[in-house]
Amino acid sequence: MSWRLISLVVLALVGSGYAVADLVPLLSDEGMRLLIGSSGGSGREYVELSANLQTQVNQAFCGVATAATLLNTLEVGNRPVDETYYPYHFFTQKDIFEVDCVRAVNSHGNPSGMDYEYVRHHGLTLQQVAGILACFANVTVYSPSSFSIQAFRETVKHSLQKGAGIAVNVNRHTLHQVGGGHFSPIAAFNEKLDMMLFMDVAR
């Protein structure tokens, strides 16, 4: 099986003295200009990810939706077959829990292992999302304690250039939003303006 690369970043940098610019909606005129001016990849990354972007099915499933989005985008091996899409192999936020390796991810003593109901009530930590993704791809986790803002920029740029998946775990408060921790993938990087396209799995 060919293993793909995925990076997970704890983006707490904006909560540590870094300024947060106003967010720009993708479908605004400015958002379109930013996307067209993005560098670091061929643009294919945005198209492939947007075609596979999943909306989280409930408030706790941002990590699951992000994982399913990345895994479908990267076309990893060992994809399950959901009854809705039979006979095609496709990750959904339900069938991802049918993989033995995923069910074995640490669920802090949950009797049935890592499953839909556990995540619905508890959500997922960074390490749990990394554990799920590691069942299918090579995963690197970066944390702000040893990760500068410049290293973050370079990681995003290189991930997009290599066609590897990249997702961030952010604190919504640092983005002037309601809520706490939240996962979503990154699809583009406008290096000139130092702005990234955060493909939010929430609606």
Side-chain angles (χ1 to χ4, degrees), residues 8 54 61-71 129 133 167 183-185 201:
L8 278 176
Q54 295 192 23
F61 262 52
C62 58
V64 180
T66 296
T69 294
L70 289 175
L71 294 172
V129 172
L133 289 170
F183 291 96
S184 278
V201 296

Side-chain angles (χ1 to χ4, degrees), residues 30-78:
E30 184 181 359
M32 287 291 99
R33 286 194 295 270
L34 288 168
L35 178 60
I36 292 170
S38 294
S39 60
S42 64
R44 183 182 180 91
E45 298 79 14
Y46 163 73
V47 174
E48 291 181 337
L49 195 144
S50 61
N52 288 287
L53 185 66
Q54 295 192 23
T55 299
Q56 62 188 80
V57 296
N58 60 52
Q59 294 295 321
F61 262 52
C62 58
V64 180
T66 296
T69 294
L70 289 175
L71 294 172
N72 284 323
T73 300
L74 296 175
E75 298 183 346
V76 300
N78 195 29

